[in-house]
Amino acid sequence: MTVRESSAPDNAAEFEWQADDIFGRIATRYDRLCDAFSFGIHRLWKRKVARRIASESWDVLLDGATGTGDIILRVLTQEGVEGRSILASDVSAKMLAIAGERLSRHSAAVVLKLLDAENMPSVPTHSVDAYSISLGLKICNRRLALQEALRVLKPGGRLIILEASNIPWAVLHRVYLAYMSVCMPVLGWLATGGDASAYKYLLQGIRDFPTAEGLAEELVNMGFEDVLFERLSLGIVAIHTARSPSEKNGA
């Protein structure tokens, strides 16, 4: 893989949660919003990434941008997860409260914590075996979030990302973006009761997020190893996996 600097902005959506509590406002309608934007296909993506997360070797998982708990709920249904520990985190207290209600009915092994993925001083360095984040990097400063992921991961720890990506056929990708530019405001307005912030941030995040190759190169530049990705739904999203450097390589 050729390593070069990505031209994509660090914060694709230019979203600052301190200035706009959009996810707090739409917490109770967030899953409906996901269904509307993806016509339900996000459920297939989440099942796929949940299987990937569960298949990795870890005793302690930190999940960033947990939202309403969709991913962790699916992880808990996978074989071999019993007895492992999960720290589910989010920057939105209202989203995390919904996740807490849903997860409390399934497992006592999940601890919920209010954390900003860009800065998690309460999480010790090299303290988790795996770190996952799904559909959250496009609405934060991903450079800071990924640096934090690298910090908290143990040497050799695993990183699993589900995020917006690019359809590799340029014409088809432009058609997809054009379609989203027209449909997302309409669907978002209906799903959120007219709150324009939600679809504005999400649309910009999708449009300005790096390609699958671009994000993979960013991970390599940061020091992650064994960087791989798999496109889903033609490339609308991709699952990225990587490993933090071992003690020998990271010394």
Side-chain angles (χ1 to χ4, degrees):
M1 179 183 295
T2 302
V3 179
R4 61 179 181 272
E5 293 297 320
S6 171
S7 59
D10 289 340
N11 189 331
E14 297 183 0
F15 173 64
E16 300 293 341
W17 63 269
Q18 300 93 335
D20 188 353
D21 186 26
I22 174 59
F23 292 99
R25 295 198 302 274
I26 67 169
T28 59
R29 292 169 288 179
Y30 179 73
D31 293 323
R32 190 190 317 161
L33 186 65
C34 290
D35 278 331
F37 285 165
S38 72
F39 294 98
I41 299 175
H42 74 104
R43 298 171 184 266
L44 301 177
W45 304 336
K46 290 174 178 178
R47 280 202 291 270
K48 178 88 171 180
V49 76
R51 288 196 296 268
R52 184 68 57 84
I53 292 169
S55 71
E56 298 289 352
S57 177
W58 50 269
D59 292 320
V60 179
L61 167 73
L62 170 56
D63 184 61
T66 292
T68 60
D70 258 5
I71 300 294
I72 297 305
L73 280 170
R74 288 169 169 81
V75 170
L76 292 172
T77 67
Q78 304 300 310
E79 292 184 6
V81 175
E82 187 176 352
R84 303 202 226 180
S85 298
I86 300 173
L87 175 59
S89 68
D90 201 278
V91 75
S92 170
K94 291 183 179 178
M95 296 278 274
L96 208 59
I98 294 173
E101 292 177 6
R102 301 173 73 186
L103 293 168
S104 65
R105 299 192 292 266
H106 292 265
S107 175
V110 180
V111 174
L112 288 91
K113 193 166 186 178
L114 196 64
L115 293 175
D116 178 0
E118 299 176 6
N119 184 27
M120 303 182 290
S122 63
V123 181
T125 298
H126 297 168
S127 62
V128 302
D129 305 299
Y131 179 94
S132 59
I133 185 166
S134 299
L135 306 175
L137 282 183
K138 66 178 171 290
I139 51 172
C140 71
N141 186 311
R142 70 179 178 283
R143 178 180 57 82
L144 296 179
L146 291 172
Q147 285 175 347
E148 274 293 86
L150 187 60
R151 180 186 67 81
V152 302
L153 280 169
K154 294 178 181 178
R158 296 293 289 171
L159 174 71
I160 308 98
I161 299 168
L162 170 67
E163 193 46 89
S165 191
N166 67 302
I167 300 173
W169 300 279
V171 173
L172 187 57
H173 188 64
R174 286 196 294 270
V175 170
Y176 164 67
L177 291 179
Y179 166 78
M180 292 298 286
S181 297
V182 172
C183 289
M184 186 173 278
V186 176
L187 295 174
W189 186 88
L190 292 172
T192 64
D195 196 328
S197 296
Y199 50 83
K200 179 187 73 173
Y201 291 130
L202 293 172
L203 179 59
Q204 183 167 334
I206 290 170
R207 185 179 61 239
D208 292 345
F209 200 76
T211 64
E213 292 84 359
L215 181 57
E217 289 171 353
E218 289 183 3
L219 293 173
V220 171
N221 288 338
M222 286 185 175
F224 285 99
E225 301 175 350
D226 299 336
V227 176
L228 299 169
F229 65 83
E230 176 187 2
R231 286 186 171 94
L232 305 180
S233 301
L234 298 178
I236 294 175
V237 299
I239 295 176
H240 291 254
T241 57
R243 178 174 57 82
S244 64
S246 64
E247 289 182 305
K248 181 179 178 181
N249 292 337

